[in-house]
C-alpha cells in the first residue's frame, strides 16, 4: 500500500514537477499564496511550507512584499553556494525551563539539531496560550521545517496546534499529549513514577501518605501523575490521606507565585493534617520546595518525608529529596528522532512514547541505610 503523503508535500511536488518540466518558467511569478491555497484546497500554512521547501532547493525566490518567482539555472547555482553558510530551522516552544526540568532537554535538542544540519530556534510560552499562539505563528513565518512543542496548560486544545496537526505539518509534542488527536507525544511515564514514590514510602513504613499537586486544568502530565499516585496507594493496600490541590498559575513569575499563593495554602493544609501524615508525594518539584519549607517552619520535617518528581541538580548541595528524575536526554533524543522522520515524510510506528523516569533516593535516606547496615 502506497504511503500517504503530507498535504504540503503534494503541493510541493506538483509545483516542483511544473518547474522541472518547464510549465513554470524562469522569472515567472507564482500566484498569491491565498489563491494557491484555494486552488489546491489547503490552508495557507500548507502552501507556505511547500514554498519554503522549494525555496530551500533554490527553485523559487521569495521576495518580501512582492511574491515568489521561479529561478533560472544560474541563479539556482549562485543561491546554492550562498546557502551553504546557512542552516534550515527547527522550532521549539517550551512552556518553561528550569534547573529541575527543561535545561538538559533544550541543550540536547539543540545538539542533535546541529548535528543533523539544522538550527534550533527556541521560544517560550510561560504557560500562556496567547504567547504560545504567537510563537507558533512566528516560527511558521520563519519557515521552520518542523516544531517541537511543550503545550501550555488548558482545558481546551490549542487551535494553532490543532491546525498544524490537521495540515500534517511536522510537529511533536513534548511532556504532554492531546487525547484523541493523532500527533506524536514524548513524555515521562508519570504514572509509573508516582507508583515508585508511593512504593518507596510504603516500604519504609510510612503508610499515611498524601498527594500535593496542582490543579490539572486538562493537563495530561498532571492527570497521569495523579492517577499513578492513587494506583500506587491501591497496590500497597493503603488509604490515601486528604489531598492538597493547589491552583494552576503560569510561569511568568514563579518565585512570587509560590511565595504568595502556594506557601500559605500548603501551610494551612499541613496545620490541619500534619498529625495524620508521615509521607507526602508532590507532583512537581516547585511544590515540594514549598512543602519542605512549610514542614520546617512547623517543626515536623523529620516526621513527614517528602518525595517528588524532579529535583534541582544545579545547586551546590545537589539534590536533597527522594525523587524520580525525568530522563531529559532520552526524551530529547526520541522527540528529535520522531520530528526528523516526520520532516522526511516517514510514517511513525506509534504516537505515544513514554520514557521511564530515573528513581533516585535522597541522601538522608541513603545515609540512614548505611548506618543501619554498618
Amino acid at each position: 500500500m502506497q504511503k500517504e503523503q503530507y498535504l504540503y508535500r503534494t503541493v510541493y511536488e506538483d509545483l516542483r514537477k511544473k518547474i522541472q518540466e518547464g510549465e513554470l518558467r524562469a522569472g515567472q511569478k507564482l500566484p498569491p499564496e491565498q489563491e494557491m491555497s484555494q486552488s489546491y484546497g489547503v490552508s495557507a500554512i500548507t502552501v507556505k511550507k511547500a514554498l519554503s521547501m522549494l525555496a530551500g532547493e533554490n527553485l523559487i525566490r521569495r521576495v518580501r512584499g512582492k511574491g515568489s518567482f521561479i529561478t533560472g539555472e544560474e541563479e539556482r547555482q549562485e543561491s546554492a553556494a550562498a546557502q551553504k553558510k546557512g542552516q534550515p530551522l527547527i522550532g521549539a516552544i517550551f512552556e518553561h525551563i528550569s534547573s529541575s526540568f527543561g535545561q538538559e532537554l533544550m541543550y540536547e535538542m539543540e545538539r542533535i539539531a546541529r548535528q543533523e544540519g539544522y538550527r534550533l530556534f527556541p521560544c517560550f510560552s510561560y504557560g500562556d496560550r496567547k504567547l504560545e499562539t504567537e510563537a507558533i505563528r512566528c516560527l511558521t513565518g520563519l519557515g521552520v521545517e518542523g516544531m517541537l512543542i511543550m503545550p501550555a496548560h488548558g482545558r481546551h486544545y490549542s487551535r494553532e496546534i490543532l491546525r498544524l496537526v490537521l495540515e500534517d505539518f511536522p510537529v511533536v509534542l513534548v511532556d504532554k499529549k492531546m487525547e484523541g488527536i493523532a500527533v506524536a507525544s514524548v513524555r515521562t511515564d508519570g504514572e509509573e513514577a508516582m507508583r515508585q514514590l508511593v512504593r518507596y514510602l510504603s516500604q519504609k513504613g510510612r503508610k499515611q501518605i498524601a498527594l500535593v499537586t496542582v490543579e490539572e486544568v486538562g493537563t495530561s502530565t498532571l492527570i497521569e501523575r495523579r492517577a499513578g499516585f492513587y494506583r500506587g496507594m491501591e497496590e500497597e493496600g493503603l488509604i490515601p490521606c486528604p489531598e492538597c490541590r493547589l491552583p494552576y498559575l503560569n510561569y511568568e513569575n514563579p518565585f512570587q507565585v509560590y511565595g504568595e499563593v502556594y506557601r500559605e495554602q500548603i501551610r494551612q493544609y499541613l496545620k490541619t493534617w500534619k498529625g495524620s501524615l508521615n509521607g507526602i508525594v508532590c507532583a512537581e518539584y516547585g511544590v515540594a520546595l514549598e512543602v519542605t519549607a512549610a514542614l520546617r517552619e512547623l517543626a515536623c520535617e523529620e516526621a513527614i518525608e517528602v518525595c517528588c518528581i524532579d529535583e534541582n541538580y544545579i545547586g551546590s548541595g545537589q539534590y536533597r529529596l527522594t525523587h524520580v528524575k525525568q530522563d531529559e536526554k532520552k526524551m530529547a533524543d526520541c522527540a528529535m528522532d520522531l520530528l526528523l522522520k516526520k520532516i522526511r515524510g516517514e510514517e511513525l510506528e506509534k504516537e505515544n512514547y513514554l520514557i521511564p523516569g530515573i528513581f533516585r533516593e535522597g541522601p538522608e535516606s541513603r545515609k540512614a541505610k548505611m548506618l543501619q547496615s554498618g
Side-chain angles (χ1 to χ4, degrees), residues 48 70 80 84 112 170 196 207 270 307 316 328 335 339 346:
K48 285 182 182 292
I70 308 301
K84 286 183 178 179
I112 297 172
Q196 284 182 290
K207 308 291 186 178
L270 291 174
C307 300
S316 58
E328 297 180 49
L339 186 64
E346 299 177 21

Side-chain angles (χ1 to χ4, degrees), residues 154-225:
R155 297 188 186 280
H156 306 289
Y157 291 153
S158 162
R159 290 184 179 180
E160 288 299 309
I161 296 178
L162 283 174
R163 187 160 62 89
L164 293 176
V165 174
L166 291 172
E167 295 299 334
D168 289 322
F169 186 86
V171 59
V172 173
L173 303 185
V174 181
D175 192 47
K176 298 182 181 72
K177 70 173 180 177
M178 296 172 70
E179 194 69 50
I181 306 300
V183 57
S185 166
V186 178
R187 60 195 190 281
T188 298
D189 190 344
E191 185 171 330
E192 175 57 26
M194 295 294 275
R195 289 169 63 203
Q196 284 182 290
L197 295 175
V198 170
R199 189 159 56 244
Y200 161 79
L201 290 173
S202 178
Q203 290 174 354
K204 287 190 66 178
R206 295 183 180 272
K207 308 291 186 178
Q208 289 74 50
I209 309 171
L211 171 67
V212 180
T213 186
V214 175
E215 184 183 7
E216 295 157 358
V217 291
T219 304
S220 62
T221 303
L222 293 173
I223 292 172
E224 290 168 349
R225 292 179 186 180

Side-chain angles (χ1 to χ4, degrees), residues 46-117:
T46 296
V47 172
K48 285 182 182 292
K49 175 63 179 174
L51 295 178
S52 177
M53 292 175 68
L54 292 170
E57 294 182 9
N58 304 312
L59 294 174
I60 66 170
R61 171 170 42 89
R62 305 177 77 179
V63 181
R64 185 181 293 275
K66 294 185 178 181
S68 299
F69 299 83
I70 308 301
T71 58
E73 186 58 36
E74 184 177 346
E75 184 179 355
R76 289 169 194 167
Q77 292 178 358
E78 292 176 355
S79 297
Q83 284 185 357
K84 286 183 178 179
K85 298 180 181 179
Q87 289 177 299
L89 296 174
I90 285 177
I93 303 176
F94 298 93
E95 189 178 32
H96 74 295
I97 63 171
S98 67
S99 57
S100 61
F101 178 71
Q103 287 186 350
E104 185 180 0
L105 183 74
M106 183 174 70
Y107 294 151
E108 181 66 9
M109 287 177 173
E110 194 281 330
R111 184 193 69 77
I112 297 172
R114 185 162 26 90
Q115 177 181 294
E116 296 294 328

Side-chain angles (χ1 to χ4, degrees), residues 92-110 120-128 148-153 174-176 248-255 258 284-286 310-314 326 328 331-332:
I93 303 176
F94 298 93
E95 189 178 32
H96 74 295
I97 63 171
S98 67
S99 57
S100 61
F101 178 71
Q103 287 186 350
E104 185 180 0
L105 183 74
M106 183 174 70
Y107 294 151
E108 181 66 9
M109 287 177 173
E110 194 281 330
L120 190 75
F121 195 105
C123 300
F124 298 88
S125 70
Y126 304 101
D128 186 314
L148 299 156
I149 303 177
M150 185 187 294
H153 285 57
V174 181
D175 192 47
K176 298 182 181 72
Y248 168 73
L249 299 156
N250 64 33
Y251 298 92
E252 281 285 4
N253 192 342
F255 302 105
Y258 291 148
E284 294 186 339
Y285 172 65
D310 292 324
E311 242 278 14
N312 180 18
Y313 283 78
I314 302 299
Q326 298 190 70
E328 297 180 49
M331 291 175 70

